[in-house]
Amino acid sequence: MFVNGEWKDSSSGENIPVLNPATGLSIAEVPSATDDDVAFAAESARISFDEGAWSKISPGERSTVLLKVASVIEERTEELAKLETKITGKSIKQTIGYDLPYTVDNIRFLAGAARILEGKAMGEYVREGTSAIRREAIGVVGVITPWNYPLMMVIWRAFPALAMGNSVIVKPASYTPLTTLELANMVEKAGVPKGVFNVITGPGGRVGEAIARNKNVDMIAFTGSTEVGKKLHELGSSTLKKVSVELGGKAPFIVFEDADLEAATESAIVGGLVNNGEDCANSTRYYVQESVKDKFTKRLMEKMKRVKVGNPMDPKTDVGPLISSSQRDRVEWYIEKGLEQGGKLLEGGDRPKIKGMEKGFYLNPAIISTENQQSAIVQEEIFGPVFSVLPFSTYDDAISKSNDVIYGLGSSVWTRNVTTAMNAVKDLRFGTVWVNEHVTVPSEMPWAGYKQSGHGASLSAYSLEEFTYIKHVYFDLTGKVRKSWYSQIYGGQ
Ligand code: NAP
């Protein structure tokens, strides 16, 4: 672990294994932090914040350091992509071509945006004084991240916090801590002062909860499941911490009869399978207008047959293994449940045999046709490659079914009619609506949830504001001993 500028073992000496999901074999061990380790990390972060070697320098100076981290990551793209693939099972094509370059772009944007914060104009909102707004760092931020984009999620949550001058304690997911520990190395070398960036590892139920309860931690920035997000609100309430949560999703993909079906089905495959179907933005519910549903489904099945599931290190692989054996069991449970609840399996859902990797957690992506909007595969986040295809009749039917889940993260609509598209953009209760596309999020735009997908925003200038307090500063302009409004107390005296 990296705490107060030093590499440390757990004070208990206990470790937890890290597996390669492609082989099911252990590739490393990392420390399992104790409550004392968490308390020490939180205290170090607090001291570093109060001392000000990071919190009190200018945004430009912090930006310069963070840009160095981006350059080092860029130089080490291939090596880091391989490590990310090894711990997550996602294809090397994706980590080299997308995850790493995008992460570098995210950092460059955040580092630059920290220098151009915007706010209300300073001015005389009452006649006798001038008001101004300051944005100030919150203090110590506990960052708890998921396993699906291990490096990128730390950047999305810890880097806007750092850019605004906070100190952070990062707890990566236990399945995937290795690239986060590498990041600590790079952050240290780039010149972030000791105690400002800390990484501690260990099970969320203990380490994550200890961070959430700690009095030296002022804020929690969590990305993960809705269930744990709710728990963190409860834990943080004892010290009234600010808790920012980015949670699960269940994205609808709405295809109207006038849509370009070839473009829609091409995107449907990528939207559902990117990141092995373990992406909170994945399209999972395909609502297709009745008149074109058969045509759409036939093309979808043809394209799915061409998807190559296999060793994620092979550049020809499209989809690698799921993260763990229990995650695969969970996805299979949902497939069975979907069939029990009236669905028809059209494609996949079985375990492929990958030569030499028999213990890996592979699963062929499944397509299920169903009309049951209340089915578990339609209502709940599976977090695996399961496509539910459902019919809809009218515009209102499509929108009401799409909105009928507890989640509200990503959504997309496919049509050539601008009026239909603009109405859908307005009526869909989701933090992102794509029109004739699915998944793209530029660094400049917010990634934010509605409903139980959480609140707060990653990326964009909004993510920087998340990690600040807002302060009103008032300057008296009269120089008088008794201002006009004091008559409320002094009356006619
Ligand atoms: P998770 O089970 O909620 O775990 C996320 C993190 O929380 C891990 O570091 C985990 O540690 C820790 N944790 C677990 N229990 C905890 C507790 N009681 N108190 C404090 N921390 C605890 O989620 P996941 O399975 O890693 O990730 C998948 C989820 O993340 C999906 O729901 C997905 O939609 C969501 N996600 C959302 C976004 C977004 O931007 N909205 C992005 C990516 C992923 P351990 O690993 O040690 O259990």
Side-chain angles (χ1 to χ4, degrees):
M1 301 187 290
F2 185 72
V3 180
N4 203 28
E6 286 175 12
W7 291 93
K8 281 189 178 315
D9 288 329
S10 161
S11 54
S12 70
E14 275 177 39
N15 290 328
I16 49 171
V18 179
L19 302 187
N20 176 349
T23 60
L25 302 175
S26 173
I27 46 171
E29 285 197 337
V30 295
S32 181
T34 62
D35 284 3
D36 285 348
D37 296 328
V38 171
F40 179 67
E43 205 183 323
S44 311
R46 172 96 265 143
I47 291 170
S48 75
F49 181 76
D50 292 346
E51 283 178 352
W54 182 254
S55 56
K56 291 183 184 153
I57 62 175
S58 72
E61 287 167 306
R62 286 194 293 267
S63 176
T64 304
V65 175
L66 299 182
L67 288 170
K68 272 191 207 159
V69 179
S71 297
V72 178
I73 295 181
E74 193 170 46
E75 279 159 26
R76 295 179 59 190
T77 290
E78 202 173 324
E79 175 203 343
L80 291 167
K82 281 184 182 157
L83 187 56
E84 197 79 324
T85 288
K86 236 181 185 176
I87 55 179
T88 59
K90 58 176 97 180
S91 75
I92 192 74
K93 217 169 38 173
Q94 178 183 325
T95 50
I96 287 192
Y98 171 77
D99 288 17
L100 267 295
Y102 182 50
T103 300
V104 168
D105 186 65
N106 298 158
I107 300 176
R108 289 187 172 144
F109 168 76
L110 293 167
R115 304 181 68 172
I116 52 157
L117 280 196
E118 290 184 0
K120 206 172 171 74
M122 185 171 176
E124 290 67 53
Y125 297 97
V126 295
R127 288 187 190 174
E128 298 177 332
T130 299
S131 287
I133 291 292
R134 288 175 59 85
R135 285 252 173 214
E136 295 179 357
I138 287 185
V140 176
V141 181
V143 172
I144 304 177
T145 53
W147 45 260
N148 66 334
Y149 286 95
L151 187 61
M152 193 191 298
M153 288 305 105
V154 181
I155 300 303
W156 281 22
R157 305 301 257 155
F159 272 48
L162 288 175
M164 299 317 297
N166 297 279
S167 291
V168 300
I169 306 168
V170 180
K171 199 227 73 78
S174 297
Y175 287 132
T176 55
L178 302 186
T179 40
T180 307
L181 290 165
E182 268 313 303
L183 179 66
N185 227 329
M186 297 183 268
V187 165
E188 181 194 18
K189 293 206 169 80
V192 174
K194 78 172 184 157
V196 171
F197 186 83
N198 306 277
V199 178
I200 51 176
T201 50
R206 195 179 69 233
V207 180
E209 292 195 13
I211 295 175
R213 272 194 292 260
N214 192 288
K215 288 200 196 99
N216 277 317
V217 176
D218 303 294
M219 173 179 175
I220 296 292
F222 171 74
T223 304
S225 62
T226 295
E227 194 191 339
V228 175
K230 287 179 186 172
K231 176 115 211 217
L232 287 170
H233 275 90
E234 281 169 31
L235 292 171
S237 69
S238 64
T239 47
L240 270 192
K241 282 183 180 45
K242 181 171 182 181
V243 180
S244 162
V245 291
E246 307 256 323
L247 310 173
K250 191 75 192 170
F253 186 107
I254 309 168
V255 183
F256 285 94
E257 60 192 357
D258 69 333
D260 177 339
L261 286 191
E262 183 54 19
T265 42
E266 277 287 289
S267 172
I269 292 285
V270 182
L273 292 184
V274 73
N275 214 50
N276 298 344
E278 296 168 323
D279 185 321
C280 52
N282 278 137
S283 40
T284 57
R285 301 179 287 145
Y286 297 84
Y287 293 106
V288 188
Q289 201 149 19
E290 282 156 351
S291 53
V292 293
K293 182 173 172 260
D294 288 349
K295 240 195 231 170
F296 176 90
T297 312
K298 193 165 163 259
R299 282 198 203 192
L300 191 68
M301 287 163 64
E302 281 164 11
K303 289 181 194 292
M304 189 67 96
K305 283 190 208 324
R306 294 202 286 270
V307 168
K308 187 170 181 285
V309 178
N311 176 0
M313 283 295 179
D314 179 346
K316 292 201 196 86
T317 291
D318 300 317
V319 173
L322 297 183
I323 188 72
S324 65
S325 163
S326 60
Q327 181 69 7
R328 181 171 61 177
D329 291 347
R330 178 186 149 90
V331 177
E332 288 175 335
W333 181 89
Y334 271 107
I335 294 173
E336 265 175 46
K337 196 81 190 158
L339 303 185
E340 257 171 58
Q341 293 179 325
K344 190 172 163 219
L345 183 64
L346 303 179
E347 194 65 49
D350 54 328
R351 296 183 179 190
K353 296 209 167 24
I354 310 298
K355 210 164 165 253
M357 299 193 151
E358 287 73 17
K359 288 196 179 143
F361 313 128
Y362 298 93
L363 186 73
N364 282 321
I367 302 179
I368 298 176
S369 165
T370 182
E371 297 197 3
N372 183 357
Q373 170 70 15
Q374 296 316 314
S375 171
I377 56 168
V378 178
Q379 290 293 323
E380 295 169 24
E381 185 184 46
I382 302 173
F383 224 53
V386 180
F387 293 43
S388 303
V389 185
L390 299 100
F392 72 84
S393 49
T394 58
Y395 172 86
D396 287 346
D397 188 29
I399 299 298
S400 89
K401 283 177 172 158
S402 298
N403 284 336
D404 171 33
V405 287
I406 61 165
Y407 299 106
L409 201 53
S411 60
S412 68
V413 55
W414 293 78
T415 178
R416 288 182 167 112
N417 183 321
V418 73
T419 310
T420 307
M422 287 306 289
N423 275 294
V425 162
K426 166 175 70 67
D427 293 336
L428 286 166
R429 306 279 297 155
F430 292 81
T432 296
V433 183
W434 292 283
V435 178
N436 297 330
E437 180 55 301
H438 199 101
V439 173
T440 305
V441 184
S443 299
E444 291 79 355
M445 290 293 126
W447 180 243
Y450 277 35
K451 304 195 287 191
Q452 293 190 34
S453 287
H455 44 75
S458 282
L459 299 180
S460 75
Y462 300 106
S463 75
L464 296 159
E465 290 178 4
E466 285 277 296
F467 296 97
T468 61
Y469 281 130
I470 188 162
K471 181 184 273 181
H472 170 215
V473 185
Y474 181 90
F475 303 89
D476 171 59
L477 287 177
T478 65
K480 289 182 180 162
V481 172
R482 194 171 279 186
K483 279 78 173 179
S484 63
W485 72 276
Y486 291 6
S487 60
Q488 288 185 55
I489 297 298
Y490 296 116
Q493 295 169 44

